Amino acid sequence: MTLLDIRLLTVQEYQLMAEIGILEEDERVELLAGQIVKMAAKGTAHGAGVKRTVDLLQNRLGRLVLVSVQDPVRLNNYSEPEPDIALLVRDPLYYEDRHPTPSEVYLIIEVADTTLRTDLGIKATIYAQSGITDYWVLDVNNRQLHVFREPSQDGYQSIVVLGDDASISSLQFPDISFMVRDMLRPLVSI
């Protein structure tokens, strides 16, 4: 069997498709490695995990960062994902004139309830190859935080899985820490 020679889309072409209406405004897709990928439906556990984490980050980091929620980040000419949460360098225009690039990203967090395989696989690879230095995947089902650091073209060289009783800090703000469990649904004692 012969592999197909696939033509990849650029970020510019992808944005043009949205501008002229080929992609619907409310269509849940993102550009990963030159391919348009459907995004999973957002479940309630996912939504709550995003909200808890955003609240926690805004309370702890305040005006040190700009917290971006489910907005595009332009990684390179072929990838423009919409991570659940991105901690960005503050921009006076709030990125009105462009999407942030890897040099403006402190941390990317994906919250996984049904997307764990994708977030730990292709997204981790794309983020590493783009030089995202701090990438976390919050696994709401297993109450774990996967922490990816030391990016290279071969993927992340450091991958640590933390339980909900662990403490974590971002690379950019090592003196500001919080518990993994603070991003997760509280455990109810029976």
Side-chain angles (χ1 to χ4, degrees):
M1 183 172 151
T2 307
L3 290 178
L4 297 175
D5 189 15
I6 296 174
R7 186 214 186 266
L8 303 177
L9 294 173
T10 67
V11 170
Q12 278 184 314
E13 292 165 333
Y14 173 71
Q15 290 172 348
L16 184 59
M17 290 172 75
E19 285 174 26
I20 63 174
I22 293 171
L23 296 173
E24 297 295 323
E25 192 173 309
D26 60 349
E27 200 167 351
R28 302 239 340 113
V29 294
E30 59 188 345
L31 185 67
L32 299 177
Q35 298 180 49
I36 298 173
V37 179
K38 288 184 179 180
M39 297 169 68
K42 298 176 193 173
T44 56
H46 176 273
V50 170
K51 289 177 189 78
R52 276 189 202 94
T53 304
V54 166
D55 192 45
L56 179 68
L57 294 169
Q58 287 178 329
N59 285 335
R60 297 287 168 84
L61 297 171
R63 305 253 333 129
L64 296 173
V65 299
L66 183 60
V67 179
S68 176
V69 181
Q70 297 167 340
D71 286 328
V73 173
R74 184 177 180 157
L75 297 178
N76 54 43
N77 285 336
Y78 296 98
S79 292
E80 191 173 81
E82 296 183 20
D84 290 319
I85 302 166
L87 294 187
L88 306 174
V89 172
R90 292 197 69 79
D91 179 76
L93 295 177
Y94 291 82
Y95 298 97
E96 184 176 357
D97 58 339
R98 71 194 185 296
H99 293 306
T101 60
S103 65
E104 298 164 310
V105 175
Y106 294 133
L107 168 66
I108 285 181
I109 303 173
E110 295 286 4
V111 176
D113 58 351
T114 62
T115 60
L116 186 63
R117 198 170 120 204
T118 301
D119 294 338
L120 297 179
I122 186 68
K123 282 198 173 180
T125 300
I126 291 169
Y127 288 139
Q129 290 172 343
S130 299
I132 299 297
T133 58
D134 210 359
Y135 171 52
W136 301 354
V137 177
L138 181 64
D139 177 355
V140 297
N141 296 321
N142 296 305
R143 300 185 63 82
Q144 295 176 328
L145 182 68
H146 299 254
V147 180
F148 296 81
R149 293 178 170 160
E150 300 175 27
S152 76
Q153 289 305 300
D154 297 324
Y156 284 98
Q157 303 306 302
S158 171
I159 303 170
V160 177
V161 181
L162 303 174
D164 67 354
D165 58 343
S167 177
I168 184 73
S169 299
S170 71
L171 287 174
Q172 188 66 33
F173 303 100
D175 296 336
I176 301 171
S177 64
F178 47 90
M179 301 299 290
V180 171
R181 74 172 142 256
D182 293 340
M183 295 183 278
L184 298 164
R185 178 188 46 203
L187 290 174
V188 179
S189 301
I190 298 176

